[in-house]
Amino acid sequence: MGVPIWFYGVNALLELIVTLACFLIFYSGYKAYRLTHEKKYRFFSLAFLLLGISFLARTLLHLLVFPLNATFIIDKVRGSVNFGSPFYIILTLVAYLIILAVCFRIQRKKTISILFLISLVGIFFTFNPMRNFHIISILLLLYIIGHFMKNYIRKQSLSSLATFVSFLLILSGHILFLALTFGVWQVYLAYLLAHLFQLAGYCGLLVTVGKVLIK
Amino acid sequence: MNNKKRRNRLDIVRDVLKAVQDKGGTIKPTHLLYKSNLSHNRLKEYVDELSGKKLIVEVEVKGKTMIQITDEGHSFLERFDKLREFTDAFGL
């Protein structure tokens, strides 16, 4: 998959904003946990901590690539970037599984670990791990979004709508990233849009969750 | 048909704390029993839980056991609405 050279640095900046959003959501969730001492808030915040770390890893990798602004060097370092991908994939996957477990009140650790291991096998025992990662993420997000859609129908509140839409945007980002692995559409535009959708999704969540931050 | 919406755990916690707060911060367990609209066993569960979370404390006043709301309990009530919105947003 080709990434426009001018976009190196810009993608890191967008991911850095997503990283900050994830860490702030983690902090909000942790505050809710401190207040209630309920495990669901602890796991919820943990999921966003993991997402924050995974995006931070990606940001740092893209920042490393940015100063080497030449195609041949980028091709050379692509191998090293791929070392960062498993880290990002595993943390994101665990985070989505935790969100899924919290939403569906799955308490059995064995169930989650089986889901995680099957996902890992499905991702890493293929020729294109990133493609399978996006497919599995899309599937997990579809279930998570189903929960948020039902929640919105039940609550009819602005915050539940914002959560639903935010996760839809995150899902759209994954769909675009997946499309890129198949080489469809105008690559540069799709890559930019995927990042923007992701950014909008996490910022939407931040606005919703951030209300807890403000006393 | 009962039109009253069933209270969830967070609602009950809020009701218990509010009942103590409305009584000036200290309440007799029997008063709390009817104010919170819970059975004796259920109220005991909540009192134990809230004591564990340091939102209330059991104190001795003139030889009688009373329930007193703590600073953390007051703080919890202040932030309850925001927490409710947070919980509602994610359907947790």
Side-chain angles (χ1 to χ4, degrees):
Chain A
M1 183 185 78
V3 177
I5 288 170
W6 62 266
F7 199 64
Y8 282 106
V10 178
N11 58 358
L13 179 70
L14 295 180
E15 279 162 354
L16 185 66
I17 299 169
V18 172
T19 303
L20 290 174
C22 286
F23 283 145
L24 285 169
I25 296 168
F26 153 71
Y27 180 60
S28 303
Y30 183 69
K31 277 190 84 169
Y33 169 66
R34 287 276 306 271
L35 195 64
T36 61
H37 296 266
E38 285 189 42
K39 276 185 182 177
K40 61 184 179 186
Y41 297 111
R42 189 173 66 183
F43 286 118
F44 178 86
S45 60
L46 175 69
F48 281 92
L49 176 67
L50 294 176
L51 282 171
I53 294 169
S54 72
F55 277 109
L56 184 64
R58 281 193 80 181
T59 306
L60 292 175
L61 284 166
H62 287 143
L63 276 177
L64 283 175
V65 173
F66 176 57
L68 314 169
N69 197 1
T71 314
F72 74 97
I73 298 175
I74 286 168
D75 284 339
K76 272 191 171 181
V77 297
R78 192 166 282 156
S80 65
V81 171
N82 284 339
F83 277 111
S85 294
F87 190 67
Y88 163 74
I89 287 171
I90 290 168
L91 287 183
T92 306
L93 199 63
V94 173
Y96 287 161
L97 282 169
I98 291 173
I99 294 171
L100 189 81
V102 171
C103 289
F104 289 91
R105 294 176 172 83
I106 303 170
Q107 291 188 336
R108 286 176 67 92
K109 285 175 188 166
K110 277 185 183 174
T111 311
I112 294 297
S113 58
I114 287 169
L115 279 172
F116 175 66
L117 290 173
I118 291 171
S119 303
L120 274 193
V121 171
I123 289 169
F124 290 109
F125 286 85
T126 56
F127 290 109
N128 197 335
M130 208 40 123
R131 178 181 292 168
N132 279 23
F133 161 68
H134 287 303
I135 292 171
I136 289 171
S137 295
I138 288 166
L139 291 173
L140 290 175
L141 282 170
L142 281 173
Y143 279 94
I144 292 169
I145 286 167
H147 165 82
F148 290 132
M149 190 177 73
K150 277 184 191 167
N151 183 52
Y152 168 62
I153 292 166
R154 209 168 42 233
K155 302 276 164 55
Q156 294 285 321
S157 66
L158 193 65
S159 55
S160 59
L161 176 66
T163 306
F164 170 54
V165 173
S166 297
F167 272 93
L168 265 183
L169 287 166
I170 295 167
L171 173 74
S172 307
H174 277 290
I175 291 170
L176 283 170
F177 280 127
L178 177 67
L180 285 165
T181 67
F182 285 103
V184 294
W185 298 338
Q186 225 281 340
V187 171
Y188 295 176
L189 184 66
Y191 192 75
L192 177 67
L193 279 177
H195 272 88
L196 288 177
F197 279 142
Q198 211 168 44
L199 179 69
Y202 283 103
C203 285
L205 283 180
L206 178 62
V207 171
T208 310
V209 175
K211 286 174 185 170
V212 179
L213 269 174
I214 308 156
K215 270 195 175 182
Chain B
M1 205 176 116
N2 188 7
N3 286 329
K4 276 194 175 178
K5 203 180 155 191
R6 199 166 175 267
R7 293 182 297 172
N8 61 28
R9 279 190 78 79
L10 210 55
D11 291 326
I12 296 170
V13 167
R14 187 245 179 207
D15 289 349
V16 169
L17 291 173
K18 195 85 175 67
V20 186
Q21 193 182 50
D22 288 349
K23 270 282 182 179
T26 311
I27 194 170
K28 286 181 185 171
T30 45
H31 285 184
L32 185 58
L33 191 67
Y34 71 76
K35 287 241 176 216
S36 59
N37 202 19
L38 290 167
S39 68
H40 179 267
N41 287 343
R42 290 265 284 157
L43 178 64
K44 194 179 177 321
E45 274 175 36
Y46 277 96
V47 167
D48 289 345
E49 187 186 326
L50 296 182
S51 300
K53 290 174 181 170
K54 296 183 173 62
L55 297 175
I56 54 169
V57 282
E58 288 184 70
V59 290
E60 288 279 323
V61 179
K62 291 175 188 169
K64 287 180 181 175
T65 304
M66 304 281 275
I67 292 166
Q68 195 172 60
I69 190 166
T70 63
D71 288 344
E72 279 191 48
H74 285 296
S75 167
F76 180 92
L77 280 175
E78 278 173 26
R79 282 181 278 173
F80 175 82
D81 289 337
K82 295 221 160 74
L83 187 68
R84 161 73 69 75
E85 205 174 329
F86 179 86
T87 307
D88 283 354
F90 291 90
L92 297 177

